[in-house]
Amino acid sequence: MENETTVGKNALNYRIIINEIIGVIISIALTAFVAIILFFIKLKYAILIDMVLFISIFILQLLILYFFSLMQYKNLKYAIGQNSVSFTRGAFGVERETIPFEKIKNATFDQTVIQRLFSVGDITIDQDDEKYIWENIDSQTAALISNTVSAKGDVQPITVATANAIVNPPPQKT
């Protein structure tokens, strides 16, 4: 696709932090499980074995999840064409979605509390028959895409109008 643009660095930072937190939790759970098993086996150096195992798993998961986050980020691209917007994502396999502007009915940007801390969020694009969600995108990219989709797409601006009620007076008796 021509003129593909990588999203902002906040998306990378968010992915690294979230993946590493999950990795640390898994490392702690795994080594706690091993510690329990070693306790019941009553090995002489059970604590030392568990500490070495934890440090090994911790370092390994740091490297693997950092590499995984980096690969996700490198493939996180978008392209805005004359008639469509394209999104690319994936860590090792790459998925590309192209959405014609004429099919887009609505575009929203949502953030959880944690996403707000990192200035990232999810773009949801409503089409005639389906929704496309592009997750954990930086706020600046999301604003650019939302503005472009609103300008070029079939997205109708929401206007608030007040209703004027016409009240007929009751008929007068003569």
Side-chain angles (χ1 to χ4, degrees), residues 73-105:
Y73 176 73
K74 288 201 175 273
N75 292 324
L76 200 59
K77 299 176 183 178
Y78 68 95
I80 300 173
Q82 288 288 66
N83 301 318
S84 64
V85 59
S86 296
F87 303 104
T88 305
R89 66 178 170 190
F92 300 106
V94 178
E95 172 186 315
R96 179 174 288 135
E97 181 80 23
T98 300
I99 304 170
F101 287 126
E102 63 194 33
K103 285 190 170 187
I104 298 173
K105 298 300 176 197

Side-chain angles (χ1 to χ4, degrees), residues 107-155:
T108 59
F109 179 69
D110 301 312
Q111 291 178 306
T112 64
V113 174
I114 295 171
Q115 287 175 326
R116 188 171 288 214
L117 293 172
F118 290 93
S119 296
V120 298
D122 303 334
I123 299 172
T124 303
I125 296 179
D126 294 321
Q127 301 175 54
D128 291 330
D129 54 352
E130 63 182 306
K131 285 186 180 187
Y132 179 77
I133 300 173
W134 206 34
E135 298 172 328
N136 306 321
I137 307 305
D138 67 291
S139 299
Q140 293 81 13
T141 301
L144 174 71
I145 291 171
S146 294
N147 292 339
T148 303
V149 165
S150 295
K152 292 186 176 187
D154 191 21
V155 179

